Amino acid sequence: MDTVYAIVRKIPRGRATSYGAIAESAGIRLSARMVGWAMNAADSANPPIPAHRVVNSKGLLTGAHHFATPTLMQELLENEGIKVVDNQIQDFKTVFWDPAGEPKRKKKKP
């Protein structure tokens, strides 16, 4: 989860990315679901995790039900200038932030 959180903390304000893009960047390519589980537990992370910036590959706010209120995820995105209609980021290709452009974290040796 630390690797996932480190990637999510790098998502710039006003941008969003997908569970799958994070999974691929973290080296767990086929486990976007694991990223979702990490986002579900993110509310207790310190420093905070901008989990509202992580959506599915189509820009849908599939994790919205994990926030304190049903509209909080959308409100946080809109406060950053991202337009959301019917629980989906509009023009997601423009808003999308690709973590693959970031240097990959090296695994620590045991």
Side-chain angles (χ1 to χ4, degrees):
M1 289 209 301
D2 291 337
T3 301
V4 169
Y5 290 166
I7 293 168
V8 174
R9 284 187 182 107
K10 292 179 182 180
I11 303 170
R13 181 176 173 79
R15 303 292 295 278
T17 195
S18 68
Y19 300 104
I22 292 170
E24 187 168 334
S25 181
I28 51 176
R29 187 169 178 251
L30 300 177
S31 293
R33 214 173 259 180
M34 289 177 70
V35 174
W37 292 331
M39 291 301 92
N40 187 27
D43 62 340
S44 62
N46 192 13
I49 306 291
H52 63 284
R53 297 179 186 152
V54 183
V55 297
N56 82 358
S57 62
K58 295 177 182 171
L60 289 166
L61 313 188
T62 54
H65 61 281
H66 293 290
F67 285 76
T69 67
T71 59
L72 182 57
M73 184 177 189
Q74 178 173 338
E75 291 167 13
L76 291 169
L77 289 167
E78 289 175 339
N79 285 341
E80 295 183 8
I82 297 174
K83 185 175 181 182
V84 178
V85 175
D86 294 328
N87 282 325
Q88 186 169 18
I89 293 175
Q90 301 301 288
D91 202 15
F92 184 53
K93 288 181 181 179
T94 301
V95 173
F96 182 76
W97 176 79
D98 187 357
E102 292 292 314
K104 293 195 180 189
R105 292 174 53 103
K106 293 182 180 179
K107 293 184 179 181
K108 293 180 183 177
K109 293 183 180 181

